[in-house]
Amino acid sequence: MVRVLVCLVALFVATPSFARAMIETDHLRAELIPRNAATAPGEATDVAIRVRVADGWHTYWKNPGDVGEAPRATWTLPEGASADPLRFPAPERLPYPPFVNFGYKSAFTLMTRITVPADWRPGAPLRVPVQMDFLVCEEICIPESGVTLVEIATGATTTPDSQVAFTFVQAQWAMPEEAPAPLSYARDGDDLYLTVPFGQGAEAAFFPVTPGLIDNAAPQTATPAADGAGFTLKLMSGAGRLDGTMAGVLTTSEGAWQVAALGDPDPAPDPASDPVAAPPPAAPVAVSAPAPPPIGVAEAVLFAFLGGLILNLMPCVFPVLALKVFGLVRHADAPIKTRATIGAAYASGVLTMFAVLAGVLLALKAAGVGVGWGFQLQSPEFVAVMAAVVTLVALNLSGVFEVGTSLTRVGGGSGDGVLGAYGTGVLATIVATPCTAPFMAVAIGAALGASPTMALAVFAALGAGLAAPFVVLSLLPGLTKILPKPGAWMVRLKQALAFPLYATAAWLIWVLAQLTGPGPLLAALLALVLVATAAWVFGLSQGVTGARRKVALGLAVAIFAGALAVGRPVADAAPPQTVAVAGPAPVVPFTPAALAALEAEGRPVFLNATAAWCITCKVNEEAVFADEAFAALLADNDVTFMVADWTRRDNDVSALMDRFGRAGVPLYVFFSGRGEATVLPQILTFARLKNTFAGASRSLALTKAPQ
């Protein structure tokens, strides 16, 4: 409705001459030009939308690639009129590592076609309001839009003047042509081979209409046909499923062609008998890892914010969601100002803790210590203290003791007020560190390798992403209508929400065992029991007064001191010499010398950088590595499984992560045996591993084939 009203206002204030309509924004200018000097009722005229983007900025094709949004035209048409979908000229690849987008960074012309209603009175101009929406990007992306009025003169159809005609000739030159011969494609694992029976393949690139069909960032390699008639373009399939058709635009140095929807793929090409379909042999290269792609401040901040958002869904943060949920329920009836204060306090706790983490990380990096995301969980003392803190929070939810009345007043009468929300934010950040969400690894790796200012900006964005969902929920005006009225059920909810935190404490004790071995485990458990006992005695002191209260408080302090003494062996424990991975596959422990030796021999290596406290790592281990099929896959492809254990601090493993621009685990790298290293996703699947190994084996066979 708003869009229609804007268009009507544009129509009301329009001036009489609209042969060429114009939209101007801060970074873009679009001119809309009808082709015909006049168009008869019932007939159609082409409309060119000539777009010029500001220097250094770009906008997008109909499939924007990995990130972006296609231009849109929204027409307000009278009854009987129609507008065709926009037609786009051939795009270009816009690399913004690790993404590759499709679009335009110079002037281009879109085209459409508008049909005049058959009952339109000849001589009366057809005025059509239109809203154009663009996403324009430089270091940042800005949605920009404008409304204008396209006037189409009506009457007997007459041709345009020479200047307008040349505009449409130029626009048509940029449109993809119909391919002079049919194309076909074949699939082999993750590899796609587009066979083009014409042209030379210089500067060849394929742009699919459907997002996700190919890995946009993967190289596209053209191999000339043996007889010189055409070439084969090697692509890599993406996250989307091929449904038996593939359509798009093919560009080369010779022009651009429209690729119609192709049918079911041919069988996988046989490289020994079909040199046209086979990819080019891989030339031997020096044994070295690729340098991580550069990433700008804007991309790093965006990745960090997205990673923080996704971190809310990771299993590390789930237990703390209990505290957030209970705080939300307790304040559902509070005024919006109170809820906003609670949300701000939680966000402040998150941002404060991220600032502390960033400062410590930068200081340790400057001192030459190999650290990264989750580094604090490499300290047995820190893990033991965290287990005690989480246990105390759970006991509080269970009703063993209550927060003091001086603290309850801070939050306006509830024990989970401002200070409680702030503490929950701190705790959420700490327990989030065992998990690495998508986007985070690249952002944190870039931040720690850049200036302190960029590092602080990235960690602040990460914290903002983690805090954003709770802050938004705390500000919802209809929250009281969604949640039940406060009552006795809230006590039961509070008690129930303690159990995820007990589970977190149990997990932290397990992590402690991985760090110290089984020796100090009994001491740690006894210390945890004493901490719980001290909390219980403290709870008893809250129900008495006078001398009995002082005695109970003194006893609680003495028991807590005893817990510290009993748990002392944890700090003195020596780290176990084990590899933090489970499964049937034989494991080679990582050392720089061992990896270099395998690379020099040309042996394929799958390297898993992991840690016992990394929940994402453990999920992948259970889903992929623990299966007998994984061991068989390694054996079938002659791949060595190497594990880099980062459970305890290890400068060699830290240097390995720095080599690939990462700041935490998991890190999965496949070394093909030919000097190529591929960083795999942090959320790993068996199918992705299988396709990666198979592609490398096939390329290796081609390299060794007799010439």
Side-chain angles (χ1 to χ4, degrees):
M1 177 61 70
V2 173
R3 182 174 292 171
V4 173
L5 289 174
V6 171
C7 292
L8 290 176
V9 170
L11 178 60
F12 179 78
V13 300
T15 58
S17 176
F18 277 92
R20 295 191 180 186
M22 191 76 68
I23 290 175
E24 292 190 73
T25 66
D26 290 341
H27 304 97
L28 179 142
R29 174 179 174 177
E31 184 180 20
L32 292 83
I33 309 168
R35 179 170 188 166
N36 296 341
T39 304
E43 296 186 3
T45 180
D46 291 328
V47 176
I49 306 172
R50 194 159 55 184
V51 182
R52 184 176 296 278
V53 187
D55 290 342
W57 293 73
H58 64 272
T59 190
Y60 297 95
W61 188 53
K62 56 185 171 183
N63 171 12
D66 288 325
V67 179
E69 186 176 2
R72 297 193 309 272
T74 305
W75 304 89
T76 303
L77 296 161
E79 186 176 354
S82 63
D84 289 354
L86 293 177
R87 288 191 289 143
F88 289 73
E92 60 182 307
R93 287 164 63 89
L94 304 173
Y96 285 84
F99 298 140
V100 168
N101 304 323
F102 307 148
Y104 315 93
K105 55 186 179 183
S106 56
F108 64 99
T109 302
L110 304 169
M111 292 183 68
T112 186
R113 193 172 178 83
I114 293 181
T115 301
V116 179
D119 57 354
W120 197 261
R121 181 171 61 85
L126 175 66
R127 293 179 175 175
V128 183
V130 58
Q131 175 170 316
M132 296 289 302
D133 296 277
F134 298 89
L135 183 66
V136 289
C137 302
E138 189 199 34
E139 293 259 337
I140 59 173
C141 289
I142 302 174
E144 296 187 341
S145 63
V147 176
T148 190
L149 203 61
V150 177
E151 180 177 281
I152 300 173
T154 63
T157 300
T158 54
T159 57
D161 61 37
S162 58
Q163 183 180 356
V164 172
F166 186 67
T167 297
F168 282 85
V169 169
Q170 287 179 307
Q172 193 58 48
W173 283 343
M175 293 291 170
E177 302 177 20
E178 183 177 352
L183 283 67
S184 61
Y185 78 103
R187 181 172 187 169
D188 183 16
D190 271 354
D191 293 332
L192 298 173
Y193 299 92
L194 187 65
T195 301
V196 184
F198 56 86
Q200 300 302 314
E203 302 177 14
F206 177 72
F207 303 88
V209 172
T210 304
L213 288 186
I214 68 169
D215 183 345
N216 301 321
Q220 298 189 12
T221 308
T223 305
D227 59 0
F231 59 95
T232 295
L233 187 63
K234 179 184 176 182
L235 315 168
M236 179 174 286
S237 62
R241 294 184 58 186
L242 284 175
D243 58 359
T245 62
M246 188 165 63
V249 170
L250 174 71
T251 62
T252 69
S253 60
E254 302 161 302
W257 289 273
Q258 192 73 43
V259 179
L262 304 177
D264 291 331
D266 298 330
D270 182 357
S273 61
D274 188 359
V276 176
V285 294
V287 178
S288 63
I295 180 172
V297 176
E299 290 89 348
V301 169
L302 174 61
F303 289 178
F305 182 79
L306 293 174
L309 282 176
I310 299 173
L311 206 55
N312 284 279
L313 305 177
M314 304 299 282
C316 312
V317 188
F318 274 28
V320 184
L321 289 176
L323 298 178
K324 292 195 232 179
V325 168
F326 187 69
L328 199 62
V329 171
R330 288 292 299 268
H331 294 282
D333 283 329
I336 186 67
K337 182 178 179 181
T338 301
R339 298 207 309 270
T341 303
I342 297 300
Y346 172 76
S348 298
V350 171
L351 292 173
T352 300
M353 197 61 213
F354 269 106
V356 170
L357 286 174
V360 174
L361 275 170
L362 290 173
L364 292 175
K365 280 279 186 181
V369 180
V371 292
W373 179 249
F375 71 97
Q376 67 273 27
L377 291 170
Q378 297 173 328
S379 165
E381 298 93 329
F382 179 86
V383 173
V385 170
M386 277 304 304
V389 169
V390 170
T391 300
L392 287 172
V393 175
L395 290 170
N396 174 246
L397 291 176
S398 295
V400 174
F401 68 96
E402 297 295 333
V403 178
T405 55
S406 61
L407 291 181
T408 62
R409 295 192 191 101
V410 175
S414 66
D416 56 335
V418 173
L419 287 183
Y422 183 88
T424 303
V426 170
L427 185 62
T429 304
I430 294 173
V431 301
T433 51
C435 277
T436 304
F439 298 104
M440 277 180 57
V442 175
I444 296 177
L448 294 181
S451 65
T453 302
M454 178 174 174
L456 291 173
V458 166
F459 275 83
L462 192 57
L466 180 63
F470 179 75
V471 173
V472 170
L473 286 175
S474 68
L475 297 176
L476 286 179
L479 194 60
T480 55
K481 298 178 181 178
I482 301 173
L483 298 173
K485 295 294 182 183
W489 65 272
M490 293 179 62
V491 177
R492 299 290 176 259
L493 175 64
K494 180 180 178 182
Q495 294 171 348
L497 293 178
F499 291 98
L501 293 173
Y502 288 128
T504 301
W507 168 74
L508 286 168
I509 291 297
W510 178 84
V511 170
L512 188 64
Q514 311 306 305
L515 293 169
T516 64
L521 191 57
L522 178 60
L525 290 171
L526 288 175
L528 203 59
V529 170
L530 288 174
V531 167
T533 305
W536 175 68
V537 174
F538 175 73
L540 293 178
S541 73
Q542 294 180 313
V544 295
T545 57
R548 287 185 297 175
R549 178 179 176 82
K550 293 180 180 179
V551 170
L553 285 174
L555 182 59
V557 171
I559 295 173
F560 189 80
L564 295 178
V566 170
R568 179 63 190 173
V570 171
D572 301 329
Q577 300 299 316
T578 59
V579 175
V581 69
V587 171
V588 175
F590 164 78
T591 65
L595 177 59
L598 289 169
E599 285 188 286
E601 294 173 9
R603 295 281 303 277
V605 177
F606 174 57
L607 188 143
N608 169 22
T610 183
W613 41 261
C614 170
I615 293 182
T616 308
C617 305
K618 293 304 171 186
V619 170
N620 286 334
E621 285 178 21
E622 290 299 320
V624 180
F625 305 149
D627 199 301
E628 293 285 349
F630 174 66
L633 179 65
L634 294 171
D636 292 344
N637 292 277
D638 194 26
V639 175
T640 300
F641 185 35
M642 179 172 280
V643 174
D645 187 2
W646 206 51
T647 301
R648 296 294 293 254
R649 190 165 301 142
D650 187 318
N651 285 342
D652 288 336
V653 180
S654 298
L656 174 74
M657 293 189 296
D658 289 342
R659 178 181 173 186
F660 292 97
R662 296 295 189 266
V665 290
L667 170 65
Y668 304 113
V669 185
F670 178 63
F671 299 87
S672 67
R674 303 185 311 281
E676 300 168 354
T678 303
V679 178
L680 299 175
Q682 291 172 300
I683 307 299
L684 204 57
T685 64
F686 183 80
R688 179 61 186 265
L689 269 184
K690 184 176 180 181
N691 290 334
T692 301
F693 291 175
S697 298
R698 182 173 180 275
S699 297
L700 188 60
L702 288 170
T703 304
K704 296 179 178 179
Q707 303 297 315

